[in-house]
Amino acid sequence: MQRQRGLTLLELLVVLAIIGLSVAAVSLSLRDSHQTQLEREAQRLVAVLEAARAQSRSSGIALIWQVTPEGFVIRPTQTPSPLTTRQETWLNLGTQAVVNAQTHSDNPTTAANVVVLGPEPILAPTRITLRSAATTLHIGTNGLQAFQVVP
């Protein structure tokens, strides 16, 4: 009796199943979750706020960060100004931001979702809530420290 060479149908199906499961696992691990996308958005916003804060301190002109439906805008408080208005869109569609600023008398204010980044080194304590899908993150400062992602 001669022994045949090659694969049986069962062996071929097992190999294809293993390859299919491997490809599915890799594609799921590479896909960005809503949490990862929002964390990336929060880190970007922290960098933008700190850059605007530094620009305000170096120029002596206060800047306003304001939420828009598509993203946010950073504009000088005075017009005309040597500083230009900068408009940014969110990296991910569906991202929303809400500002929870506190004045020095500890009364919460949410006037038009605005953060004033003045040339003085101390800001009002501020917290910005970012939402995307069912995920929420907070960015904040106590007024002295830099903006950062807070629990």
Side-chain angles (χ1 to χ4, degrees), residues 28-75:
L28 286 176
S29 68
L30 293 179
R31 201 174 87 200
D32 274 349
S33 68
H34 289 292
Q35 180 70 28
T36 305
Q37 290 174 347
L38 196 60
E39 287 172 4
R40 187 178 307 124
E41 192 77 73
Q43 291 300 329
R44 173 181 171 241
L45 185 55
V46 165
V48 166
L49 288 170
E50 283 305 311
R53 194 173 179 184
Q55 183 181 24
S56 172
R57 290 176 85 183
S58 67
S59 68
I61 298 171
L63 294 172
I64 294 176
W65 179 88
Q66 185 172 15
V67 178
T68 64
E70 306 83 30
F72 56 89
V73 64
I74 299 173
R75 59 183 167 79

Side-chain angles (χ1 to χ4, degrees), residues 121-132:
I122 300 174
L123 300 175
T126 304
R127 178 173 260 192
I128 301 170
T129 303
L130 289 178
R131 287 190 188 95
S132 178

